[in-house]
Coordinates of all heavy atoms in Angstrom, one line a residue:
M733 N 53.0 -115.0 83.6 CA 51.9 -114.0 83.4 C 52.4 -112.8 82.5 O 51.6 -112.1 82.0 CB 51.5 -113.5 84.7 CG 50.8 -114.4 85.7 SD 50.4 -113.8 87.2 CE 49.2 -112.5 86.8
F734 N 53.7 -112.6 82.5 CA 54.2 -111.4 81.8 C 54.6 -111.7 80.4 O 55.1 -112.8 80.1 CB 55.4 -110.8 82.5 CG 55.0 -110.3 83.9 CD1 54.9 -111.0 85.0 CD2 54.8 -108.9 84.1 CE1 54.5 -110.5 86.3 CE2 54.3 -108.4 85.3 CZ 54.2 -109.2 86.4
R735 N 54.5 -110.7 79.6 CA 54.9 -111.0 78.1 C 56.4 -111.1 78.1 O 57.1 -110.7 79.0 CB 54.5 -109.8 77.3 CG 55.1 -108.5 77.6 CD 54.2 -107.4 77.0 NE 54.1 -106.2 78.0 CZ 54.7 -105.1 77.7 NH1 55.2 -104.7 76.6 NH2 54.5 -104.2 78.7
T736 N 56.9 -111.8 77.2 CA 58.4 -112.2 77.2 C 59.3 -111.0 76.8 O 60.4 -111.0 77.4 CB 58.7 -113.3 76.2 OG1 58.0 -113.1 74.9 CG2 58.2 -114.7 76.7
Q737 N 58.8 -110.0 76.1 CA 59.7 -109.0 75.7 C 59.2 -107.7 76.4 O 57.9 -107.3 76.3 CB 59.7 -108.7 74.2 CG 60.3 -109.8 73.5 CD 61.1 -109.3 72.2 OE1 60.6 -108.4 71.6 NE2 62.1 -110.0 71.8
G738 N 60.1 -107.0 77.1 CA 59.7 -105.6 77.7 C 59.0 -105.7 79.0 O 58.7 -104.7 79.6
S739 N 58.9 -107.0 79.5 CA 58.2 -107.2 80.7 C 59.0 -106.5 82.0 O 58.4 -106.2 83.0 CB 57.7 -108.5 81.0 OG 58.9 -109.4 81.1
E740 N 60.4 -106.5 81.8 CA 61.2 -106.0 83.0 C 60.7 -104.6 83.2 O 60.7 -104.1 84.4 CB 62.7 -106.0 82.7 CG 63.3 -107.5 82.7 CD 63.1 -108.2 81.4 OE1 62.6 -107.5 80.4 OE2 63.4 -109.4 81.3
L741 N 60.4 -103.8 82.2 CA 60.1 -102.4 82.4 C 58.8 -102.3 83.2 O 58.6 -101.5 84.0 CB 60.0 -101.6 81.1 CG 61.4 -101.3 80.4 CD1 61.1 -100.7 79.0 CD2 62.1 -100.4 81.3
A742 N 57.9 -103.2 82.7 CA 56.5 -103.3 83.4 C 56.7 -103.6 84.9 O 56.1 -103.0 85.8 CB 55.6 -104.3 82.7
M743 N 57.5 -104.6 85.1 CA 57.8 -105.1 86.6 C 58.4 -103.9 87.4 O 58.0 -103.7 88.5 CB 58.8 -106.3 86.6 CG 58.0 -107.5 86.0 SD 59.3 -108.9 86.2 CE 58.5 -110.1 85.1
A744 N 59.4 -103.3 86.8 CA 60.1 -102.2 87.6 C 59.2 -101.1 87.8 O 59.1 -100.5 88.9 CB 61.3 -101.8 86.8
S745 N 58.3 -100.7 86.9 CA 57.4 -99.7 86.9 C 56.3 -100.0 88.1 O 55.9 -99.2 88.9 CB 56.6 -99.4 85.6 OG 55.6 -98.6 85.8
M746 N 55.8 -101.3 88.0 CA 54.9 -101.8 89.0 C 55.4 -101.6 90.4 O 54.7 -101.2 91.3 CB 54.5 -103.2 88.7 CG 53.4 -103.4 87.6 SD 53.2 -105.2 87.3 CE 53.3 -105.9 88.8
L747 N 56.7 -102.0 90.6 CA 57.2 -102.0 91.9 C 57.3 -100.5 92.4 O 57.0 -100.2 93.6 CB 58.7 -102.6 91.9 CG 59.3 -102.6 93.3 CD1 58.5 -103.3 94.3 CD2 60.7 -103.3 93.2
A748 N 57.9 -99.6 91.5 CA 58.0 -98.2 91.9 C 56.7 -97.6 92.2 O 56.6 -96.9 93.3 CB 58.7 -97.4 90.7
L749 N 55.6 -97.9 91.4 CA 54.3 -97.3 91.7 C 53.7 -97.8 92.9 O 53.0 -97.1 93.6 CB 53.4 -97.5 90.5 CG 53.8 -96.8 89.2 CD1 53.0 -97.4 88.0 CD2 53.5 -95.4 89.3
T750 N 54.0 -99.1 93.2 CA 53.4 -99.8 94.3 C 54.0 -99.2 95.6 O 53.3 -98.9 96.6 CB 53.7 -101.3 94.3 OG1 53.1 -101.8 93.1 CG2 53.1 -102.0 95.5
I751 N 55.3 -98.9 95.6 CA 56.0 -98.4 96.8 C 55.4 -97.0 97.0 O 55.1 -96.6 98.2 CB 57.5 -98.3 96.6 CG1 58.0 -99.8 96.6 CG2 58.2 -97.5 97.8 CD1 59.5 -100.0 96.2
E752 N 55.3 -96.1 96.0 CA 54.7 -94.8 96.1 C 53.2 -95.0 96.7 O 52.9 -94.2 97.6 CB 54.6 -94.1 94.7 CG 55.9 -93.5 94.3 CD 55.8 -92.9 92.9 OE1 54.7 -92.7 92.5 OE2 56.9 -92.7 92.3
A753 N 52.5 -95.9 96.2 CA 51.1 -96.0 96.6 C 51.0 -96.4 98.1 O 50.2 -95.9 98.9 CB 50.4 -97.0 95.7
I754 N 51.9 -97.4 98.5 CA 51.9 -97.8 99.9 C 52.2 -96.7 100.8 O 51.6 -96.4 101.8 CB 52.8 -99.0 100.1 CG1 52.2 -100.3 99.4 CG2 53.0 -99.3 101.6 CD1 53.1 -101.6 99.5
L755 N 53.3 -95.9 100.5 CA 53.8 -94.8 101.3 C 52.6 -93.8 101.4 O 52.4 -93.3 102.6 CB 55.0 -94.2 100.7 CG 56.4 -95.0 100.8 CD1 57.5 -94.3 100.0 CD2 56.7 -95.1 102.3
D756 N 51.9 -93.6 100.3 CA 50.9 -92.5 100.3 C 49.7 -93.1 101.2 O 49.1 -92.3 102.0 CB 50.4 -92.2 99.0 CG 49.5 -91.0 98.9 OD1 49.7 -90.0 99.6 OD2 48.4 -91.2 98.2
F757 N 49.4 -94.3 101.0 CA 48.4 -94.9 102.0 C 48.7 -94.8 103.3 O 47.9 -94.6 104.1 CB 48.1 -96.4 101.5 CG 46.9 -97.1 102.0 CD1 45.7 -97.0 101.3 CD2 46.9 -97.6 103.3 CE1 44.6 -97.6 101.9 CE2 45.8 -98.2 103.8 CZ 44.6 -98.2 103.1
A758 N 50.0 -95.1 103.7 CA 50.4 -95.1 105.1 C 50.6 -93.7 105.6 O 50.6 -93.4 106.8 CB 51.6 -95.8 105.2
G759 N 50.6 -92.7 104.7 CA 50.9 -91.3 105.1 C 49.7 -90.3 104.8 O 48.6 -90.5 105.4
Q760 N 49.9 -89.5 103.8 CA 49.0 -88.3 103.6 C 47.7 -88.7 102.8 O 46.8 -87.9 102.9 CB 49.7 -87.3 102.8 CG 50.8 -86.6 103.6 CD 51.3 -85.3 103.0 OE1 51.4 -85.2 101.8 NE2 51.6 -84.3 103.8
R761 N 47.8 -89.8 102.1 CA 46.7 -90.2 101.2 C 46.3 -89.0 100.3 O 45.1 -88.6 100.3 CB 45.5 -90.6 102.0 CG 45.8 -91.9 102.9 CD 44.7 -92.7 103.2 NE 45.1 -93.9 104.1 CZ 44.3 -94.7 104.7 NH1 43.0 -94.6 104.5 NH2 44.8 -95.7 105.4
S762 N 47.3 -88.5 99.6 CA 47.1 -87.3 98.8 C 46.5 -87.8 97.4 O 46.1 -87.0 96.6 CB 48.4 -86.6 98.6 OG 49.4 -87.3 98.0
G763 N 46.7 -89.1 97.0 CA 46.2 -89.5 95.7 C 46.8 -90.8 95.2 O 46.1 -91.6 94.6
H764 N 48.1 -90.9 95.3 CA 48.7 -92.1 94.8 C 48.2 -93.4 95.4 O 48.2 -94.5 94.7 CB 50.3 -92.2 95.1 CG 51.1 -91.2 94.4 ND1 51.2 -91.2 93.1 CD2 51.7 -90.1 94.8 CE1 52.0 -90.2 92.6 NE2 52.3 -89.5 93.7
F765 N 47.6 -93.4 96.6 CA 47.1 -94.6 97.2 C 45.9 -95.2 96.4 O 45.7 -96.3 96.4 CB 46.7 -94.3 98.7 CG 45.4 -93.5 98.9 CD1 44.2 -94.3 99.1 CD2 45.4 -92.2 98.6 CE1 43.1 -93.6 99.2 CE2 44.2 -91.5 98.8 CZ 43.0 -92.2 99.0
R766 N 45.3 -94.3 95.6 CA 44.1 -94.7 94.9 C 44.4 -95.7 93.8 O 43.6 -96.4 93.3 CB 43.4 -93.5 94.3 CG 42.8 -92.6 95.3 CD 41.9 -91.6 94.7 NE 41.4 -90.7 95.8 CZ 40.5 -90.9 96.7 NH1 40.0 -92.1 96.8 NH2 40.3 -90.0 97.6
L767 N 45.7 -95.7 93.4 CA 46.2 -96.6 92.3 C 46.0 -98.0 92.7 O 45.8 -98.9 91.8 CB 47.7 -96.3 92.1 CG 48.3 -97.0 90.8 CD1 47.6 -96.5 89.5 CD2 49.8 -96.9 90.8
I768 N 46.1 -98.4 93.9 CA 46.0 -99.8 94.4 C 44.7 -100.5 94.0 O 44.7 -101.4 93.3 CB 46.3 -100.0 95.9 CG1 47.7 -99.4 96.3 CG2 46.2 -101.4 96.3 CD1 47.9 -99.4 97.8
A769 N 43.6 -99.7 94.3 CA 42.2 -100.2 94.0 C 42.0 -100.3 92.5 O 41.4 -101.1 91.9 CB 41.1 -99.4 94.7
C770 N 42.6 -99.2 91.8 CA 42.4 -99.1 90.3 C 43.1 -100.3 89.7 O 42.6 -101.0 88.8 CB 43.1 -97.8 89.8 SG 42.3 -96.3 90.2
E771 N 44.4 -100.6 90.2 CA 45.1 -101.8 89.5 C 44.6 -103.1 89.9 O 44.6 -104.0 89.1 CB 46.6 -101.6 89.9 CG 47.3 -100.4 89.4 CD 47.3 -100.3 87.9 OE1 47.2 -101.3 87.2 OE2 47.6 -99.2 87.3
V772 N 44.0 -103.2 91.1 CA 43.4 -104.5 91.4 C 42.3 -104.8 90.4 O 42.2 -105.9 89.9 CB 42.9 -104.5 92.9 CG1 41.9 -105.6 93.2 CG2 43.9 -104.5 93.9
A773 N 41.5 -103.7 90.2 CA 40.4 -103.9 89.1 C 41.0 -104.1 87.8 O 40.5 -105.1 87.0 CB 39.5 -102.7 89.2
S774 N 41.9 -103.3 87.3 CA 42.4 -103.4 86.0 C 43.2 -104.7 85.7 O 43.2 -105.2 84.6 CB 43.2 -102.2 85.6 OG 44.4 -102.2 86.3
H775 N 43.9 -105.2 86.8 CA 44.6 -106.5 86.6 C 43.7 -107.7 86.4 O 44.3 -108.7 86.0 CB 45.6 -106.6 87.7 CG 46.9 -105.8 87.6 ND1 46.8 -104.5 87.5 CD2 48.1 -106.3 87.6 CE1 48.1 -104.0 87.4 NE2 48.9 -105.1 87.4
D776 N 42.5 -107.6 86.7 CA 41.5 -108.7 86.3 C 41.7 -109.0 84.9 O 41.7 -110.2 84.5 CB 40.1 -108.2 86.6 CG 39.8 -108.3 88.1 OD1 40.6 -108.9 88.8 OD2 38.7 -107.8 88.5
A777 N 42.0 -107.9 84.0 CA 42.1 -108.2 82.6 C 43.4 -109.0 82.3 O 43.5 -109.6 81.2 CB 42.1 -106.8 81.9
Y778 N 44.4 -108.9 83.1 CA 45.7 -109.6 82.9 C 45.5 -111.0 83.5 O 46.4 -111.8 83.3 CB 46.8 -109.0 83.6 CG 47.3 -107.6 83.1 CD1 47.4 -106.6 84.0 CD2 47.5 -107.4 81.8 CE1 47.7 -105.3 83.5 CE2 47.9 -106.2 81.3 CZ 48.0 -105.1 82.3 OH 48.4 -103.9 81.9
G779 N 44.4 -111.3 84.2 CA 44.2 -112.6 84.7 C 44.9 -112.7 86.1 O 45.3 -113.8 86.5
T780 N 45.3 -111.5 86.7 CA 46.0 -111.5 87.9 C 45.1 -111.8 89.2 O 44.2 -110.9 89.4 CB 46.8 -110.2 88.2 OG1 47.6 -109.9 87.1 CG2 47.6 -110.2 89.4
P781 N 45.1 -112.9 89.8 CA 44.2 -113.2 90.9 C 44.5 -112.1 92.0 O 45.6 -111.7 92.2 CB 44.6 -114.6 91.5 CG 45.5 -115.2 90.5 CD 46.1 -114.0 89.6
R782 N 43.4 -111.7 92.6 CA 43.6 -110.6 93.7 C 44.5 -111.0 94.9 O 45.1 -110.0 95.4 CB 42.1 -110.1 94.1 CG 41.4 -109.6 93.0 CD 40.1 -108.9 93.3 NE 39.6 -108.2 92.2 CZ 38.7 -107.3 92.2 NH1 38.1 -107.0 93.4 NH2 38.3 -106.6 91.1
H783 N 44.5 -112.2 95.2 CA 45.3 -112.6 96.3 C 46.8 -112.4 96.1 O 47.7 -112.3 97.0 CB 45.1 -114.1 96.7 CG 45.5 -115.1 95.8 ND1 46.8 -115.6 95.7 CD2 44.9 -115.8 94.8 CE1 46.9 -116.5 94.7 NE2 45.7 -116.5 94.2
L784 N 47.2 -112.3 94.8 CA 48.7 -112.0 94.4 C 49.0 -110.6 94.8 O 50.2 -110.3 95.1 CB 48.9 -112.2 92.9 CG 49.0 -113.7 92.5 CD1 49.4 -113.8 91.0 CD2 50.0 -114.5 93.4
F785 N 48.1 -109.7 95.0 CA 48.4 -108.3 95.4 C 48.8 -108.5 96.9 O 49.8 -107.8 97.2 CB 47.2 -107.5 95.3 CG 47.0 -106.9 93.9 CD1 46.5 -107.6 93.0 CD2 47.5 -105.6 93.6 CE1 46.3 -107.1 91.6 CE2 47.3 -105.0 92.4 CZ 46.8 -105.8 91.4
T786 N 48.1 -109.3 97.7 CA 48.5 -109.5 99.1 C 49.9 -110.1 99.2 O 50.8 -109.7 100.0 CB 47.5 -110.4 99.8 OG1 46.2 -109.9 99.6 CG2 47.8 -110.6 101.2
A787 N 50.2 -111.0 98.3 CA 51.5 -111.8 98.3 C 52.6 -110.7 97.9 O 53.7 -110.7 98.5 CB 51.5 -112.9 97.3
F788 N 52.3 -109.8 96.9 CA 53.2 -108.9 96.5 C 53.6 -107.8 97.6 O 54.8 -107.6 97.9 CB 52.6 -108.1 95.3 CG 53.5 -107.1 94.6 CD1 54.8 -107.4 94.4 CD2 52.9 -106.0 93.9 CE1 55.6 -106.4 93.6 CE2 53.7 -105.1 93.2 CZ 55.0 -105.3 93.1
F789 N 52.6 -107.4 98.3 CA 52.9 -106.4 99.4 C 53.6 -107.1 100.5 O 54.5 -106.5 101.1 CB 51.5 -105.9 100.0 CG 50.7 -105.1 99.0 CD1 49.3 -105.2 99.0 CD2 51.3 -104.4 98.0 CE1 48.5 -104.5 98.1 CE2 50.5 -103.7 97.1 CZ 49.1 -103.7 97.2
A790 N 53.3 -108.4 100.7 CA 54.0 -109.1 101.8 C 55.5 -109.3 101.5 O 56.4 -109.2 102.4 CB 53.4 -110.5 102.1
I791 N 55.8 -109.5 100.2 CA 57.2 -109.7 99.7 C 57.9 -108.4 99.9 O 59.1 -108.3 100.4 CB 57.3 -110.1 98.2 CG1 56.8 -111.6 98.1 CG2 58.6 -110.0 97.7 CD1 56.6 -112.1 96.7
I792 N 57.3 -107.3 99.6 CA 57.9 -105.9 99.8 C 58.2 -105.7 101.3 O 59.3 -105.3 101.7 CB 56.9 -104.7 99.3 CG1 56.9 -104.9 97.8 CG2 57.5 -103.4 99.8 CD1 55.9 -103.8 97.2
R793 N 57.2 -106.1 102.2 CA 57.4 -106.0 103.6 C 58.6 -106.9 104.1 O 59.6 -106.4 104.8 CB 56.2 -106.5 104.3 CG 56.4 -106.5 106.0 CD 55.4 -107.4 106.6 NE 55.4 -108.7 106.0 CZ 54.4 -109.7 106.1 NH1 53.3 -109.3 106.6 NH2 54.6 -110.8 105.6
D794 N 58.6 -108.2 103.5 CA 59.7 -109.0 104.0 C 61.0 -108.6 103.5 O 62.1 -108.8 104.2 CB 59.3 -110.5 103.5 CG 58.1 -111.1 104.1 OD1 57.6 -110.5 105.1 OD2 57.7 -112.1 103.6
T795 N 61.1 -108.0 102.4 CA 62.3 -107.5 101.8 C 62.9 -106.3 102.7 O 64.1 -106.3 103.0 CB 62.2 -107.0 100.4 OG1 61.7 -108.1 99.6 CG2 63.5 -106.6 99.7
L796 N 61.9 -105.4 103.1 CA 62.4 -104.3 104.0 C 62.9 -104.9 105.3 O 63.9 -104.4 105.8 CB 61.2 -103.5 104.2 CG 60.9 -102.5 103.0 CD1 59.6 -101.7 103.3 CD2 62.0 -101.5 102.8
R797 N 62.2 -106.0 105.7 CA 62.6 -106.6 107.1 C 64.0 -107.1 106.9 O 64.8 -107.0 107.8 CB 61.6 -107.7 107.4 CG 61.8 -108.4 108.8 CD 61.1 -109.7 108.9 NE 61.4 -110.6 107.8 CZ 60.7 -111.5 107.3 NH1 59.5 -111.7 107.7 NH2 61.1 -112.3 106.3
D798 N 64.3 -107.8 105.9 CA 65.6 -108.3 105.7 C 66.7 -107.3 105.5 O 67.8 -107.3 106.1 CB 65.7 -109.2 104.4 CG 64.8 -110.5 104.5 OD1 64.3 -110.8 105.6 OD2 64.5 -111.1 103.5
L799 N 66.3 -106.1 104.9 CA 67.3 -105.1 104.7 C 67.5 -104.4 106.0 O 68.6 -104.0 106.2 CB 66.8 -104.0 103.7 CG 66.8 -104.4 102.2 CD1 66.0 -103.5 101.3 CD2 68.2 -104.6 101.7
L800 N 66.5 -104.2 106.9 CA 66.6 -103.5 108.1 C 67.4 -104.3 109.2 O 68.0 -103.7 110.0 CB 65.3 -103.1 108.7 CG 64.7 -101.8 108.0 CD1 63.3 -101.6 108.5 CD2 65.6 -100.6 108.2
G801 N 67.3 -105.6 109.1 CA 68.1 -106.4 110.0 C 67.7 -106.1 111.4 O 66.5 -106.2 111.8
D802 N 68.6 -105.7 112.3 CA 68.4 -105.5 113.7 C 67.4 -104.3 113.9 O 67.0 -104.2 115.1 CB 69.7 -105.3 114.4 CG 70.6 -106.5 114.5 OD1 69.9 -107.7 114.3 OD2 71.7 -106.4 114.8
E803 N 67.4 -103.5 112.9 CA 66.5 -102.3 113.1 C 65.0 -102.6 113.0 O 64.2 -101.8 113.4 CB 66.9 -101.1 112.1 CG 68.3 -100.5 112.5 CD 68.6 -99.5 111.4 OE1 67.8 -98.4 111.4 OE2 69.6 -99.7 110.7
W804 N 64.7 -103.8 112.5 CA 63.3 -104.2 112.4 C 62.8 -104.5 113.8 O 63.6 -105.0 114.6 CB 63.3 -105.4 111.5 CG 61.8 -106.0 111.4 CD1 61.2 -106.9 112.0 CD2 60.9 -105.5 110.3 NE1 59.9 -107.2 111.5 CE2 59.7 -106.3 110.5 CE3 61.0 -104.6 109.4 CZ2 58.6 -106.1 109.7 CZ3 59.9 -104.3 108.5 CH2 58.7 -105.2 108.8
S805 N 61.6 -104.1 114.1 CA 61.1 -104.2 115.4 C 59.7 -104.8 115.4 O 59.0 -104.9 114.4 CB 61.1 -102.8 116.1 OG 60.1 -102.0 115.5
V806 N 59.2 -105.2 116.6 CA 57.8 -105.8 116.8 C 56.8 -104.7 116.4 O 55.9 -105.0 115.8 CB 57.7 -106.2 118.2 CG1 56.2 -106.5 118.5 CG2 58.6 -107.3 118.6
E807 N 57.2 -103.4 116.8 CA 56.2 -102.3 116.4 C 56.1 -102.1 114.9 O 55.0 -101.9 114.4 CB 56.7 -101.0 117.0 CG 56.7 -100.9 118.5 CD 57.7 -101.7 119.3 OE1 58.6 -102.0 118.7 OE2 57.4 -102.0 120.5
I808 N 57.2 -102.2 114.2 CA 57.2 -102.1 112.8 C 56.4 -103.3 112.1 O 55.6 -103.1 111.3 CB 58.7 -102.1 112.2 CG1 59.3 -100.8 112.6 CG2 58.6 -102.0 110.7 CD1 60.8 -100.7 112.2
A809 N 56.7 -104.5 112.6 CA 55.9 -105.6 112.2 C 54.4 -105.5 112.3 O 53.6 -105.8 111.5 CB 56.5 -106.9 112.9
Q810 N 54.1 -105.0 113.5 CA 52.6 -104.9 113.8 C 52.0 -103.8 112.9 O 50.9 -103.8 112.5 CB 52.4 -104.5 115.3 CG 52.6 -105.7 116.2 CD 52.7 -105.4 117.7 OE1 52.8 -104.2 118.1 NE2 52.5 -106.4 118.5
A811 N 52.8 -102.7 112.7 CA 52.3 -101.6 111.8 C 52.1 -102.1 110.4 O 51.1 -101.8 109.7 CB 53.3 -100.5 111.9
W812 N 52.9 -103.0 109.9 CA 52.8 -103.5 108.6 C 51.6 -104.4 108.5 O 50.8 -104.4 107.6 CB 54.0 -104.3 108.2 CG 55.0 -103.5 107.4 CD1 56.2 -102.7 107.9 CD2 55.0 -103.2 106.0 NE1 56.7 -102.2 106.8 CE2 56.1 -102.4 105.6 CE3 54.0 -103.5 104.9 CZ2 56.2 -101.9 104.4 CZ3 54.3 -103.0 103.6 CH2 55.3 -102.2 103.3
D813 N 51.4 -105.2 109.6 CA 50.3 -106.2 109.6 C 49.0 -105.4 109.5 O 48.1 -105.7 108.7 CB 50.3 -106.9 110.9 CG 51.3 -108.1 110.8 OD1 51.9 -108.3 109.7 OD2 51.6 -108.7 111.9
A814 N 48.9 -104.3 110.3 CA 47.7 -103.5 110.3 C 47.4 -102.8 109.0 O 46.3 -102.7 108.5 CB 47.8 -102.5 111.4
L815 N 48.6 -102.3 108.4 CA 48.6 -101.6 107.2 C 48.0 -102.6 106.1 O 47.1 -102.1 105.2 CB 49.9 -101.1 106.8 CG 50.0 -100.3 105.5 CD1 49.3 -98.9 105.7 CD2 51.4 -100.1 105.0
L816 N 48.6 -103.8 106.0 CA 48.2 -104.7 105.0 C 46.7 -105.1 105.0 O 46.0 -105.2 104.1 CB 49.0 -105.9 104.9 CG 50.5 -105.7 104.6 CD1 51.3 -106.9 104.4 CD2 50.7 -104.7 103.3
V817 N 46.2 -105.3 106.3 CA 44.8 -105.6 106.5 C 44.0 -104.4 105.9 O 42.9 -104.6 105.3 CB 44.5 -105.9 107.9 CG1 43.0 -105.9 108.2 CG2 45.1 -107.2 108.3
E818 N 44.4 -103.2 106.2 CA 43.6 -102.0 105.9 C 43.6 -101.8 104.4 O 42.6 -101.5 103.8 CB 44.3 -100.7 106.6 CG 43.3 -99.6 106.7 CD 44.0 -98.3 107.3 OE1 45.0 -98.5 107.9 OE2 43.4 -97.3 107.2
I819 N 44.8 -102.1 103.8 CA 44.9 -101.9 102.3 C 43.9 -102.9 101.6 O 43.2 -102.6 100.7 CB 46.3 -102.1 101.8 CG1 47.2 -101.0 102.2 CG2 46.3 -102.3 100.3 CD1 48.6 -101.0 101.7
E820 N 43.9 -104.2 102.1 CA 43.1 -105.2 101.5 C 41.6 -104.8 101.6 O 40.9 -105.0 100.6 CB 43.3 -106.5 102.3 CG 44.6 -107.3 101.9 CD 44.8 -108.6 102.6 OE1 43.7 -109.1 103.1 OE2 46.0 -109.0 102.8
A821 N 41.2 -104.3 102.8 CA 39.9 -103.9 102.9 C 39.5 -102.7 102.0 O 38.5 -102.7 101.3 CB 39.6 -103.5 104.4
F822 N 40.4 -101.7 101.9 CA 40.2 -100.6 101.2 C 40.2 -100.9 99.7 O 39.3 -100.4 98.9 CB 41.2 -99.6 101.5 CG 41.0 -98.3 100.7 CD1 40.2 -97.2 101.1 CD2 41.7 -98.0 99.5 CE1 40.0 -96.2 100.5 CE2 41.5 -96.8 98.8 CZ 40.6 -95.9 99.2
A823 N 41.0 -101.8 99.2 CA 41.1 -102.0 97.7 C 40.3 -103.2 97.2 O 40.2 -103.5 96.1 CB 42.7 -102.2 97.4
G824 N 39.5 -103.8 98.1 CA 38.7 -104.9 97.8 C 39.4 -106.1 97.4 O 39.0 -106.9 96.5
I825 N 40.6 -106.3 97.9 CA 41.4 -107.4 97.5 C 40.9 -108.7 98.1 O 41.0 -109.8 97.5 CB 42.9 -107.2 98.1 CG1 43.6 -106.1 97.2 CG2 43.7 -108.5 97.9 CD1 44.9 -105.6 97.8
A826 N 40.3 -108.7 99.3 CA 39.7 -109.8 99.9 C 38.5 -110.4 99.2 O 38.0 -111.4 99.4 CB 39.4 -109.6 101.4
A827 N 37.9 -109.4 98.4 CA 36.6 -109.8 97.7 C 36.7 -110.9 96.7 O 37.8 -111.1 96.2 CB 36.0 -108.6 97.0
Ligands
HEM1687 C1 49.6 -102.2 93.7 C2 50.2 -103.2 92.9 C3 50.4 -103.1 91.4 C4 50.5 -102.0 90.6 C5 50.5 -100.5 91.0 C6 50.7 -102.4 89.3 C7 50.9 -101.6 88.2 C8 51.0 -102.0 86.9 C9 51.1 -101.3 85.7 C10 51.2 -99.8 85.8 C11 51.2 -102.1 84.6 C12 51.3 -101.7 83.2 C13 50.0 -101.4 82.6 C14 49.9 -100.9 81.3 O1 50.9 -100.1 81.0 O2 49.1 -101.4 80.5 C15 51.1 -103.4 85.1 C16 51.1 -104.5 84.3 C17 51.1 -105.9 84.7 N1 50.9 -106.3 86.1 FE1 50.8 -105.0 87.6 N2 50.6 -103.8 89.3 C18 50.5 -104.3 90.6 C19 50.5 -105.6 91.0 C20 50.6 -106.7 90.2 C21 50.6 -108.1 90.8 C22 50.5 -108.5 92.2 C23 50.8 -108.9 89.7 C24 50.9 -110.4 89.6 C25 51.8 -111.0 90.4 C26 50.8 -108.0 88.5 C27 50.9 -108.5 87.2 C28 50.9 -107.7 86.0 C29 51.0 -108.2 84.7 C30 51.0 -109.6 84.3 C31 51.0 -107.1 83.9 C32 51.2 -107.1 82.3 C33 52.6 -107.0 82.0 C34 53.0 -107.2 80.7 O3 52.4 -106.7 79.8 O4 53.9 -108.0 80.5 N3 50.6 -106.7 88.9 N4 50.9 -103.4 86.5

């Protein structure tokens, strides 16, 4: 899906912006969280199916789980599950 030259920068930027947006969505909702719905809509132009957003967020969660090791808990897992459902509903990803 990505262009062959320069796509690493786009990918790195996407990850950084996504983490900021998720943290803002889970916290203060001061503004960054709005990027998720914007990008879901704008990525239609890249041909990015909306379900890949769900997959992307799940990979971020799974990576954190792997990094946290023993510190990962049932409560954290449940909080992530609830958060991802809420983000999907808010950003129209399930649509
Ligand atoms: C909240 C999640 C995401 C955010 C905030 C985000 C953000 C961005 C941004 C800022 C760009 C560069 C746009 C531009 O400068 O024109 C971009 C490009 C792109 N994104 Fe995302 N993105 C997200 C999720 C995804 C997902 C899940 C996929 C597919 C697996 C994806 C695929 C792409 C592609 C293919 C491009 C074009 C890159 C290129 O030109 O090579 N994005 N994204």
Side-chain angles (χ1 to χ4, degrees):
M733 295 176 65
F734 291 85
R735 63 199 138 116
T736 46
Q737 293 210 329
S739 62
E740 287 84 6
L741 285 175
M743 289 180 195
S745 167
M746 277 177 37
L747 180 59
L749 290 170
T750 303
I751 291 169
E752 281 176 17
I754 291 176
L755 287 174
D756 190 45
F757 190 92
Q760 293 194 319
R761 300 205 183 172
S762 61
H764 288 294
F765 76 100
R766 298 194 185 283
L767 188 66
I768 300 172
C770 293
E771 295 296 341
V772 166
S774 69
H775 279 59
D776 283 345
Y778 295 127
T780 304
R782 295 186 172 200
H783 67 82
L784 285 187
F785 279 79
T786 307
F788 186 34
F789 299 147
I791 288 168
I792 292 173
R793 176 202 58 202
D794 293 349
T795 304
L796 284 172
R797 184 194 59 209
D798 294 348
L799 287 171
L800 280 175
D802 290 345
E803 290 178 63
W804 183 262
S805 66
V806 174
E807 289 77 17
I808 296 175
Q810 288 171 343
W812 266 98
D813 287 347
L815 182 73
L816 295 189
V817 168
E818 203 183 342
I819 289 178
E820 283 179 24
F822 181 83
I825 291 172

